[in-house]
């Protein structure tokens, strides 16, 4: 079953999401950098802006194995550059974890969709020597999860997008992955008054 998120009301599987958020401006948490501004306007977190801030890659999950991924800790993002309305799948390509179905209802996905945002997910990778640490280990886990693995439960909503194969992954090494992740999430919330589509909590 497919559900397409539309912009003109709710008909035959199309969903129009009411603007989310709170009245008034969002506050920046203490200790988190304020959102970037140009000419006193908030800067959209587009691919161009992310590249200017040092993010690299911007490749689909299928090509991660061909990339020289950093062993360092850092942060990563999943972006969708298409302007087309998303189509949600009833089933997920991700693997079941401890017997739990990773899929959620298409109405829940539609309600979580953030209109106008390129970033769908923000994650972090802690430094370390274990196979699942560092950007290389964490991103490979994420790719395996979408192909039926069970080791990266976070960000699973992207695997119910019909065009998940076209999503792009970018990464940035950072000495303080948690601080960088918190800062980017706070900036996204200031812009959109919501967390990214596939981020369920801080």
């Amino acid at each position: 079953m497919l559900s397409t998120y539309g912009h003109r009301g709710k008909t035959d599987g199309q969903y129009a999401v009411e603007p989310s958020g709170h009245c008034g401006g969002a506050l920046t948490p203490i200790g988190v950098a304020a959102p970037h501004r140009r000419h006193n306007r908030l800067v959209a977190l587009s691919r161009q802006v992310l590249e200017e801030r040092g993010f690299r890659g911007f490749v689909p999950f299928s090509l991660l194995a061909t990339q020289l991924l950093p062993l360092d800790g850092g942060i990563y993002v999943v972006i969708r550059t298409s302007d087309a309305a998303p189509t949600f799948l009833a089933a997920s390509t991700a693997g079941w974890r401890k017997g739990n179905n990773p899929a959620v209802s298409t109405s829940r996905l539609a309600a979580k969709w953030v209109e106008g945002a390129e970033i769908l997910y923000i994650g972090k990778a802690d430094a370390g020597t274990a196979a699942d640490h560092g950007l290389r280990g964490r991103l490979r886990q994420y790719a395996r999860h979408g192909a039926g693995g069970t080791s990266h439960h976070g960000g699973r909503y992207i695997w119910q997008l019909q065009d998940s194969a076209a999503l792009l992954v970018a990464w940035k090494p950072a000495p303080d992955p948690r601080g960088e992740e918190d800062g980017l999430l706070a900036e996204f919330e200031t812009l959109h008054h919501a967390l990214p589509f596939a981020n369920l909590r801080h």
Side-chain angles (χ1 to χ4, degrees):
M1 178 180 178
L2 305 179
S3 288
T4 301
Y5 172 89
H7 306 282
R8 295 186 295 274
K10 184 177 180 182
T11 58
D12 294 332
Q14 292 188 330
Y15 296 85
V17 176
E18 294 295 327
S20 59
H22 312 285
C23 295
L27 299 177
T28 300
I30 295 174
V32 175
H36 291 252
R37 294 175 180 268
R38 288 177 183 164
H39 305 296
N40 206 33
R41 291 186 178 182
L42 291 174
V43 177
L45 291 170
S46 64
R47 172 175 176 169
Q48 179 182 345
V49 168
L50 293 170
E51 287 178 339
E52 290 172 356
R53 296 188 190 179
F55 280 85
R56 296 293 180 263
F58 298 96
V59 296
F61 280 95
S62 61
L63 293 182
L64 278 179
T66 69
Q67 302 296 304
L68 187 61
L69 297 170
L71 295 172
D72 314 78
I75 59 173
Y76 55 96
V77 295
V78 179
I79 68 170
R80 181 178 187 264
T81 57
S82 172
D83 291 328
T87 297
F88 305 117
L89 306 177
S92 174
T93 63
W96 289 46
R97 186 183 186 190
K98 297 180 179 179
N100 295 318
N101 188 347
V104 298
S105 68
T106 55
S107 59
R108 183 172 176 181
L109 295 172
K112 191 69 170 63
W113 187 255
V114 182
E115 181 65 25
E118 285 191 28
I119 292 180
L120 302 186
Y121 183 70
I122 298 170
K124 71 174 179 68
D126 294 320
T129 57
D132 60 345
H133 281 59
L135 286 164
R136 179 183 298 179
R138 194 63 176 151
L139 289 173
R140 287 179 175 175
Q141 275 189 335
Y142 203 174
R144 287 196 298 270
H145 186 223
T150 61
S151 55
H152 191 298
H153 200 55
R156 63 188 182 277
Y157 282 10
I158 69 166
W159 304 122
Q160 282 181 259
L161 288 170
Q162 188 178 51
D163 61 351
S164 62
L167 302 180
L168 303 180
V169 190
W171 54 87
K172 175 185 175 183
D176 179 16
R178 169 63 72 183
E180 290 275 350
E181 180 190 42
D182 286 346
L184 194 56
L185 284 169
E187 184 174 355
F188 187 98
E189 285 188 280
T190 298
L191 285 165
H192 299 285
H193 308 293
L195 287 171
F197 169 67
N199 283 93
L200 305 186
R201 60 181 180 273
H202 284 285

